[in-house]
Amino acid sequence: MHDTTLLTAAEDGALPRVPVGDWVDTGFDWLKDNFDPFFDALSDLTEATVDGVTAVLLAPPPVLLAVLLALLGLAVRSVAFGVGSLLGLFLIQGMDLWEEAMETLALLLVATVVAVVIAIPVGVAAAKSDRVSAAVRPVLDFMQTMPAFVYLVPAVTFFGIGLVPGIVTTIIFALPPGVRLTELGIRQVDTETVEAGHAFGSSPGQILRGIELPLARPTIMAGVNQVIMLGLSMAVIAGLIGAGGLGSIVVTSISRLDVGLGFEAGIAVVILAIYLDRLTGAFGRIERTSPLWRLRRRRSATTAANGVRGTAPAPAPEAVTASRTPRV
Amino acid sequence: MPVLAVEGLYKVFGRRPHEGVEQLRAGASAADVQASGATAAVIDAAFEVEQGEIFVVMGLSGSGKSTLIRMLNGLVTPTAGHVLVGDEDLTTLDRKRLRAVRQERISMVFQHFALLPHRSVVENTAYALEVRGVERRTRLAAAREALEMVGLESWADHRPDELSGGMQQRVGLARALASEADILLMDEAFSALDPLIRREMQDQLMDLQSRLGRTIVFITHDLNEAMRLGDRVAVMRDGRIVRLDTPEAILADPGDEYLERFLADVDRSRVFTAGDVMSQAVAGADVGTVTVAPDTPLADLLEPSALSDTPLLVADATGEALGVVTRGDVLAALGGVRSEDLAASGRPTDDSDPLERSRA
């Protein structure tokens, strides 16, 4: 009964057309009118930062940088990973895409740093307060599920075509997993360990820095890893609005229907993605097989007399046979 | 003056906890309060702990003992009542003063060790001093000293996950000792360890205690442990302390059926000592040639008693005779019968060999 009246009402146009689009337009116009200097300043700052990072990445000879990146991978993960990354990075250079790849990497690095700097404090706040958590969650849902192309447009109206709207959209798109996994990581820290911090008189700040963040590190690093992965996919889409880098190659290949060029750019993205994923994955927990860990281990073993696991010395014999303390 | 005193302490969880306390004070039962939507975890707890004492709180899970111990250092805020540490009432302190009390007066050992996995053993041990702002070199030296006390000095630079459970808990103990707080709270500290290791840890704790003389509040659900360690034992049931006495007194007279059922499993031979079970030497009687100290556990009297045809002589360190332990005394103590009861029932309390008697 009810439903049918409602349906006919809708068909008749009795339900009003809700002008959400108009409201959004008005809102964005207002922001644009009132905060333009702010957006301009932000834009200049971002552009300068990314340009700076790009310049740094392009300053050394490509082969040298590739070797350095491969060595970093080798140190934190394994020899195989180091060799693999070296080959992959050489392939990017062989395809003549090194400059574009470094532009994308610079954009990604800046976007990731900003996203992490926002995500971790918000995640910590959400972990500490159920209210904050409840308020933040729908915002994150919105950021994650709103089709990326939809906020490319307003980003362009604020910052014009180019690098900066690319960074902004990348940050918006990549931020949510950073917040979510930070919150999860902090909430999962063993309550008894946090209690121990309180029991020895630690302040909330000491507990956060000394107990919660270190113990949540693997989960938070998984979040950072996700931020980078999502950021990379978005950085390519941002090529549509002139963000440059590998994204612009992809856009060119689409407009020219150049399958070969598209795949070359795509493969370069995949190589960057795999390298960054494995690298940040390794930072979450320095693996016990990594060359760096072994080096550290060897150093600490020289200071410790007893190095073999599982050979616990028996408790002092006098403790075992100690007679019961006399009672009063 | 007691080091730690608790007066009229209540903890009620749920909505309107203060109303719950009022109801309980007016004589309502925990079940009545439960019906109105609140949960009474600790009801009207009161006790005093003296300097150098091991005070054991024994109860099954859900009896409120964990909540009680957490109120002693303010991890749980009492709904009503007072916790006095020295002359300071924890319930009136602001957060900053409360933190200062935790840093300086009370330390804690946890059931699952609660060590920081990303720090070495010695850094874990130094944690309390680090929080207090002690300079790095000093606190690491103090931590190594504490590790030495628990016999783990050679493991100082290892990570906690390279240690066995018993060793990890010794690190937990060292961490609490290093803080130099005079009150030590131990929350089911040995419950996660297997029985053999648990026994070793108990021995080590008693050994350390005899040297350091800290004040220890020890929570356990294990009655054997309570009887072994405690100078006094508070038995908790459904949030209330139903009995507070020395282990010997509780064993000798459980008082109610609940405790009696509990005590059925207690290893009496480890609780009672020669001094507890000895009887007056009868003048002129054949006094034994085997001498034992009054603090010898009953368990260690079984063999000499079986091998000696005469009663064992109990003598103190100066050699002065305090009494004798007959085979009857040993058996009576193990069976939960007091010698006076035996005497009253007219049965012989001497050590005449049952076999010999049946032959006679």
Side-chain angles (χ1 to χ4, degrees), chain A:
Chain A
M1 271 278 298
H2 240 72
D3 296 343
T4 49
T5 39
L6 215 62
L7 271 177
T8 42
E11 277 160 20
D12 296 346
L15 270 186
R17 165 78 168 87
V18 187
V20 175
D22 293 344
W23 296 339
V24 173
D25 280 345
T26 317
F28 275 112
D29 284 345
W30 181 82
L31 278 175
K32 174 97 180 121
D33 292 343
N34 291 283
F35 291 91
D36 211 28
F38 169 74
F39 287 123
D40 283 348
L42 196 68
S43 177
D44 291 346
L45 180 71
T46 318
E47 195 146 3
T49 314
V50 178
D51 286 348
V53 176
T54 313
V56 168
L57 288 174
L58 289 174
V63 175
L64 177 64
L65 185 59
V67 169
L68 288 178
L69 291 176
L71 281 177
L72 178 65
L74 185 145
V76 300
R77 207 174 164 96
S78 65
V79 176
F81 176 60
V83 173
S85 3
L86 191 64
L87 292 178
L89 295 171
F90 278 163
L91 179 60
I92 297 180
Q93 288 171 13
M95 294 188 295
D96 266 347
L97 289 172
W98 185 249
E99 203 177 317
E100 286 80 2
M102 289 304 105
E103 280 171 20
T104 298
L105 187 59
L107 185 153
L108 183 65
L109 286 178
V110 173
T112 304
V113 168
V114 175
V116 167
V117 164
I118 299 172
I120 290 181
V122 173
V124 169
K128 296 279 168 190
S129 152
D130 288 342
R131 226 174 271 173
V132 173
S133 177
V136 162
R137 202 171 307 145
V139 178
L140 296 181
D141 292 338
F142 183 93
M143 287 161 71
Q144 255 184 326
T145 52
M146 186 59 120
F149 293 98
V150 173
Y151 45 77
L152 283 178
V153 183
V156 170
T157 61
F158 284 129
F159 302 105
I161 293 279
L163 188 70
V164 181
I167 294 235
V168 171
T169 48
T170 304
I171 291 170
I172 295 175
F173 187 68
L175 189 71
V179 178
R180 285 188 212 273
L181 284 164
T182 302
E183 178 181 353
L184 179 71
I186 300 274
R187 281 186 189 263
Q188 275 179 340
V189 170
D190 177 42
T191 50
E192 207 183 47
T193 311
V194 175
E195 218 174 31
H198 284 294
F200 288 104
S202 300
S203 66
Q206 284 173 318
I207 287 173
L208 184 67
R209 285 192 306 276
I211 298 176
E212 289 174 321
L213 285 176
L215 295 197
R217 195 179 71 143
T219 315
I220 295 176
M221 282 310 292
V224 172
N225 176 283
Q226 287 302 300
V227 168
I228 291 177
M229 292 293 104
L230 286 181
L232 191 56
S233 67
M234 193 62 197
V236 173
I237 294 175
L240 280 176
I241 50 172
L246 294 170
S248 65
I249 304 283
V250 172
V251 173
T252 310
S253 77
I254 292 173
S255 61
R256 288 196 212 149
L257 293 178
D258 187 337
V259 177
L261 184 67
F263 261 88
E264 283 184 352
I267 288 170
V269 170
V270 171
I271 291 169
L272 273 188
I274 292 179
Y275 175 75
L276 292 171
D277 177 65
R278 304 298 189 272
L279 192 71
T280 51
F283 277 130
R285 198 174 61 86
I286 297 287
E287 282 178 47
R288 302 225 148 159
T289 52
S290 83
L292 188 68
W293 189 84
R294 274 190 237 141
L295 197 73
R296 246 208 251 166
R297 186 75 222 161
R298 211 171 302 149
R299 233 182 26 211
S300 71
T302 53
T303 55
N306 210 334
V308 192
R309 186 181 174 138
T311 53
E318 72 269 22
V320 180
T321 50
S323 74
R324 182 186 169 79
T325 46
R327 292 222 179 80
V328 189

Side-chain angles (χ1 to χ4, degrees), chain A residues 190 192-204 206-207 209-211 214-215 288 296-297 300 303-316 318-328, chain B residues 70 73 75 99 102-103 106-108 110-119 127-128 131 154-155 157-158 161-162 167 170 175-176 179 200 203-204 206-207 210 227-231 247-248 270-271 273 295:
Chain A
D190 177 42
E192 207 183 47
T193 311
V194 175
E195 218 174 31
H198 284 294
F200 288 104
S202 300
S203 66
Q206 284 173 318
I207 287 173
R209 285 192 306 276
I211 298 176
L215 295 197
R288 302 225 148 159
R296 246 208 251 166
R297 186 75 222 161
S300 71
T303 55
N306 210 334
V308 192
R309 186 181 174 138
T311 53
E318 72 269 22
V320 180
T321 50
S323 74
R324 182 186 169 79
T325 46
R327 292 222 179 80
V328 189
Chain B
R70 277 165 177 72
N73 62 356
L75 288 178
R99 281 208 293 275
R102 288 174 186 161
Q103 285 173 10
I106 307 181
S107 60
M108 193 161 177
F110 292 85
Q111 181 173 7
H112 301 290
F113 327 135
L115 301 176
L116 300 175
H118 60 291
R119 289 164 166 236
Y127 184 77
V131 170
S154 62
W155 292 83
D157 296 306
H158 288 250
D161 64 358
E162 295 170 58
M167 292 162 79
R170 280 193 271 155
R175 174 173 67 178
S179 84
E200 282 173 7
D203 288 332
Q204 185 164 39
M206 287 191 290
D207 178 48
S210 66
M227 295 287 160
R228 241 183 129 218
L229 292 177
D231 292 315
E248 291 82 0
R270 296 260 160 214
V271 177
T273 61
D295 62 351

